[in-house]
Amino acid sequence: MKKTLRMDCSFRLCFVAIAFGFVLIMNGTLSSATTPHEADPPLASNFAFSPAPAPSEMDDDEFLIFYEPVLPFVPEFPVYIFYLGERKHDDPKLVTQSHLEILKSVLGSEEAANKSIIYSYHHGFSGFAAKLKPAEAEKLKNHPEVIMLVENRKLVMQTTRTWDYLGQFSTPTSSKGLLHETNMGSGAIIGVIDSGIWPESGVFDDNGYGPIPKHWKGQCVSADQFCPADCNNKLIGAKYYIDGLNADLERSVNSSTEYLSPRDHNGHGTQVSSTIAGSFISNITLPGLSSESVMRGGAPKAHIAMYKACWDVEGGLCSVADVWKAIDEAIHDGVDVLSVSIGGTVLQSLDVEIDIAIPALHAVNKGIPVVSPAGNGGARFSSVINISPWILTVAATTLDRSFSTLITLGNNKTLLGQSLYTGPEIGFTDVISTNDHGLGYEQIAKGKVIMHFSLGTPPVMPDIVHKNGGIGLITVRNPIDSRDECPENFPCIYLDLEAGSEIYFYMQTTSSPKIKISPYKTIIGERVVSKVGDSSGRGPSSFSPAILKPDIAAPGVTLLTPRIPTDDDTSEFAYSGTSMATPVIAGIVALLKISHPNWSPAAIKSALVTTAMKTDPYGERLTDGTNYKEADSFDYGGGLVNLEKATDPGLVYDMDMNDYIHYLCSEAFYTDKKVLALTGNVTNKCPSSSSSILDVNVPSITIPDIKRNVTVTRTVTNVGPVDSVYKPVIEAPLGFNVAVSPEKLVFNNGTKNAAFTVIVSPGSHRSNTAFYFGSLTWSDGLHNVTIPVSLRTRFIDNLFV
């Protein structure tokens, strides 16, 4: 239920700040305050249970669960988005008028056009969203000025220890490092497109902040429970966009269930914003943590501008039309970085990628890096989203921190499980397994701990055990990063298969098995393995496998972030996954942009990728959290971000609009006409037909179809010492031959850029293979500029192993 703030703006601002203060939880999905999850809100199911026929009405082979499809709501006038490319007028009013003229050509009158249009995109690019009948939209699709028609799909939203783990200095008084050199991000404006913000949280305090940057053109709107006084020199902008979503819903979002304003209702946007640029909060209190713990964002003195385009409806939805408008206005307002922790659920075609990619391209072309998640569809092969090369796509890893609960068996053997149980110790009590009692465990759960092996079986929900008098639930599954909702002060403990089997063996060999459960303790440091989260989207991109995605990895699991106040203390709203790894990178990008104001978004991405770590900060190789194997480039891109080394990468693989056009013409079937409209420049055209997608200047080499020798080209730009000589170091993927030419790259006052070629052959391989991984490093003895190399043979077309 929506929490109502019954006061005027000025009095409420003071009261709420005092009353709520600053509170913490572990990240999770629509979960209790004590249970972390590694998944963002799911879309509502398209199916509902239908009563099954009575057993007497069924044949022996018909004992099934029946589903009755629930047809999705289809409005009479759906919202369609028409993309027109670069603006033809500098005056936004003239751009909007041109949009109305296009609508008028189909609808017949200016009145009908004004009634139909929802948004005019007239700042960063040209386009409009309108409510139309499908036949009308089809006519407009063929209008000579329309480049493409985009459906108004619904997208989904996809810290104390974080910065210590990544090597950013541990205390605010340190005089070294990127944070100090950039004055903690002072002056940077980070635009966040998300679910809104809770301005009273202590992480948005502006004490000690300087004035708002002069180039800022945005504003704080006045709406439901939000007014300009809620902004300050930290939160300098706040807007909201809902018309696109409401137009396609059967029932519009209303003020009884959401704040029709920039105020956050589910906490996702507040967590993202605080992770990017939260101010310092000292003496954090949480069981298992030191009382001297400090929370902060990646760029603690950067400014935040919130663009609320995601809404707490059906698990959390954002419409494409609203997201486009948010990006359009963010470009105009003057943001320096855009953090967009949203995306489609599955990449099905280029159309899905358009959802964010097209407006993001206009932002990047204006020098604004766009950081987005790899998605939470992992750990399936080719589950990565946000695959366009101009987007900085982020995978999620765990930290070097474990929240462990001690389980003591009746034979005094102890095991460690994962949980956030903070209640009193549960003395030795009976434990039963659902494997032994099937679906009838509820009748005998009272006073007992239930253990459930979830591998291949329906889950046992903690609230059911709790309601039936059970005093704890042990869930055995691999992986164990993702969690179910857990009642407050009820132990929900997660074990891997090995530990679970050990308990089960004890239960089977003991006449009256008992266990004891202790409250959790925090384990921090190199003893805790770092891994890529099980839900983090994996490469390769199914649409464009020659462009490596994700690009980079950052912590996104079991982070500590602020939460918003709620009426029900037992059901908090919190998130974990690539949505939370994205703002970690966005904060670092803001620092890099201050440190290197002349770097393009591509140069910043290259600096992050080429200096990333394949290991955790202690030197241990990152693992794939799902498959218990060594992680590879499809799991984490270049690797785990190394923010200090990224400030001095030596060389960068830079890109501009010509490179992005190369990609679009190769993979998206763009024509010269579309390129002209996209860029507004008659000199921009698609490259010749001989140009290869493999030569797009990304900081990686991925070749998915090697039959014979393949040659790819890259160009690097020297951003280190003027007089430098780099030599290649090749770690060839197993069985492949890889050669680089020339044998060295020489830079001086007259040579800042250098091209090189990489020749790859199948080597010892004679059949279709899976991908193998290696790397190419250019080294001058001081800088090691490393890019991932991913190779796969394809001797027989369309035959995949």
Coordinates of all heavy atoms in Angstrom, one line a residue, residues 45-52 65-70:
S45 N 3.0 -12.9 -14.8 CA 2.7 -14.1 -15.6 C 1.6 -13.9 -16.6 O 0.6 -13.3 -16.3 CB 2.4 -15.3 -14.7 OG 2.1 -16.4 -15.5
N46 N 1.7 -14.5 -17.8 CA 0.6 -14.5 -18.7 C -0.3 -15.6 -18.6 O -1.2 -15.9 -19.4 CB 1.2 -14.5 -20.1 CG 1.9 -13.2 -20.5 OD1 1.4 -12.2 -20.0 ND2 2.9 -13.3 -21.3
F47 N -0.1 -16.4 -17.5 CA -1.0 -17.6 -17.3 C -1.6 -17.5 -15.9 O -1.0 -17.0 -14.9 CB -0.2 -18.9 -17.5 CG 0.2 -19.1 -18.9 CD1 1.4 -18.7 -19.3 CD2 -0.6 -19.7 -19.8 CE1 1.9 -18.9 -20.6 CE2 -0.2 -20.0 -21.1 CZ 1.1 -19.5 -21.5
A48 N -2.8 -18.1 -15.7 CA -3.4 -18.2 -14.4 C -3.9 -19.6 -14.2 O -4.2 -20.3 -15.2 CB -4.6 -17.2 -14.3
F49 N -3.9 -20.0 -13.0 CA -4.3 -21.4 -12.7 C -5.8 -21.5 -13.0 O -6.6 -20.6 -12.7 CB -4.1 -21.8 -11.3 CG -2.6 -22.2 -11.0 CD1 -1.8 -21.3 -10.4 CD2 -2.2 -23.4 -11.5 CE1 -0.5 -21.7 -10.2 CE2 -0.8 -23.7 -11.3 CZ 0.0 -22.9 -10.6
S50 N -6.2 -22.6 -13.6 CA -7.6 -22.9 -13.8 C -7.9 -24.2 -13.1 O -7.1 -25.1 -13.0 CB -7.9 -23.1 -15.3 OG -9.2 -23.5 -15.6
P51 N -9.1 -24.3 -12.5 CA -9.4 -25.5 -11.7 C -9.3 -26.7 -12.5 O -9.8 -26.8 -13.7 CB -10.9 -25.2 -11.3 CG -11.1 -23.7 -11.3 CD -10.2 -23.3 -12.4
A52 N -8.7 -27.7 -12.0 CA -8.5 -29.0 -12.8 C -9.7 -29.8 -12.6 O -10.5 -29.7 -11.6 CB -7.3 -29.7 -12.2
I65 N -1.6 -30.6 -14.7 CA -2.0 -29.3 -14.2 C -2.5 -28.5 -15.4 O -1.7 -28.4 -16.4 CB -0.8 -28.5 -13.6 CG1 -0.4 -29.3 -12.3 CG2 -1.2 -27.1 -13.2 CD1 0.9 -28.7 -11.6
F66 N -3.7 -27.9 -15.3 CA -4.2 -27.2 -16.5 C -4.0 -25.7 -16.3 O -4.1 -25.2 -15.2 CB -5.7 -27.5 -16.6 CG -6.1 -28.9 -17.1 CD1 -6.0 -29.9 -16.2 CD2 -6.3 -29.1 -18.4 CE1 -6.3 -31.2 -16.7 CE2 -6.6 -30.3 -18.9 CZ -6.6 -31.4 -18.0
Y67 N -3.7 -25.0 -17.4 CA -3.5 -23.6 -17.4 C -4.5 -23.0 -18.4 O -4.7 -23.5 -19.5 CB -2.1 -23.2 -17.8 CG -1.0 -23.7 -16.8 CD1 -0.4 -24.9 -17.0 CD2 -0.7 -22.9 -15.8 CE1 0.5 -25.4 -16.1 CE2 0.3 -23.4 -14.9 CZ 0.9 -24.6 -15.1 OH 1.9 -25.0 -14.2
E68 N -5.1 -21.9 -18.0 CA -5.9 -21.2 -18.9 C -5.3 -19.9 -19.3 O -5.0 -19.1 -18.4 CB -7.3 -20.9 -18.2 CG -8.3 -20.2 -19.1 CD -9.6 -20.0 -18.4 OE1 -10.1 -20.9 -17.8 OE2 -10.1 -18.8 -18.5
P69 N -4.9 -19.7 -20.5 CA -4.2 -18.4 -20.9 C -5.1 -17.2 -20.6 O -6.3 -17.2 -20.8 CB -4.0 -18.6 -22.4 CG -5.0 -19.6 -22.8 CD -5.2 -20.5 -21.7
V70 N -4.4 -16.2 -20.0 CA -5.1 -14.9 -19.8 C -4.6 -14.0 -20.9 O -3.4 -13.6 -20.9 CB -4.7 -14.4 -18.4 CG1 -5.3 -13.0 -18.2 CG2 -5.2 -15.3 -17.3

